[in-house]
């Protein structure tokens, strides 16, 4: 089926701490299987509609002074993912959008 776009379908919920635990374990496994120094993390063309319709996301954003600023939420998520990679002593590749959003990309 095609599914219905809504709060339960779409990109990960960057406000859910469990997401980062899962990603940490996933990237640890990936870097164990693939010994190369670089991992491509993507970061392009994030559509905010699913976040806009998720009450948990909008409540978290309000509590963190990000109300309506989905670029800031995307930056928060990207920074957390980059920090996971740094903790695994791996370099990363991201799309230009991450750079353009001024996320702390350390060479």
């Amino acid at each position: 089926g095609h599914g219905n776009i809504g709060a339960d379908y779409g990109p990960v919920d960057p406000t859910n701490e469990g997401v980062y635990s899962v990603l940490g374990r996933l990237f640890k496994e990936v870097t164990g299987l693939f010994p190369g120094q670089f991992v491509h993390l993507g970061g392009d063309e994030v559509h905010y509609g699913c976040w806009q319709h998720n009450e948990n996301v909008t409540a978290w954003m309000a509590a963190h002074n990000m109300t309506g600023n989905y670029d800031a939420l995307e930056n928060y998520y990207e920074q957390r993912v980059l920090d996971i990679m740094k903790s695994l002593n791996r370099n990363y590749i991201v799309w230009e959008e991450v750079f353009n959003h001024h996320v702390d990309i350390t060479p």
Side-chain angles (χ1 to χ4, degrees):
H2 290 41
N4 294 317
I5 303 292
D8 296 326
Y9 181 82
V12 298
D13 177 351
T15 68
N16 180 340
E17 281 299 313
V19 165
Y20 303 103
S21 297
V22 170
L23 289 177
R25 290 191 309 270
L26 173 68
F27 290 135
K28 184 176 182 181
E29 183 173 341
V30 166
T31 58
L33 293 171
F34 302 98
Q37 188 58 36
F38 290 92
V39 176
H40 193 290
L41 300 175
D44 66 327
E45 300 180 12
V46 175
H47 300 281
Y48 300 145
C50 293
W51 291 344
Q52 291 168 340
H53 298 288
N54 184 317
E55 292 176 8
N56 295 330
V57 170
T58 55
W60 186 95
M61 290 177 70
H64 291 84
N65 298 316
M66 291 185 196
T67 300
N69 187 348
Y70 292 92
D71 284 346
L73 181 62
E74 180 181 0
N75 291 356
Y76 171 81
Y77 168 76
E78 293 293 346
Q79 191 63 62
R80 294 283 306 266
V81 172
L82 297 182
D83 290 345
I84 290 169
M85 295 309 299
K86 289 176 192 175
S87 75
L88 296 171
N89 295 314
R90 289 294 194 271
N91 292 317
Y92 43 79
I93 300 167
V94 294
W95 290 111
E96 180 183 9
E97 286 88 340
V98 177
F99 176 79
N100 290 343
H101 286 170
H102 307 290
V103 173
D104 180 22
I105 300 173
T106 306

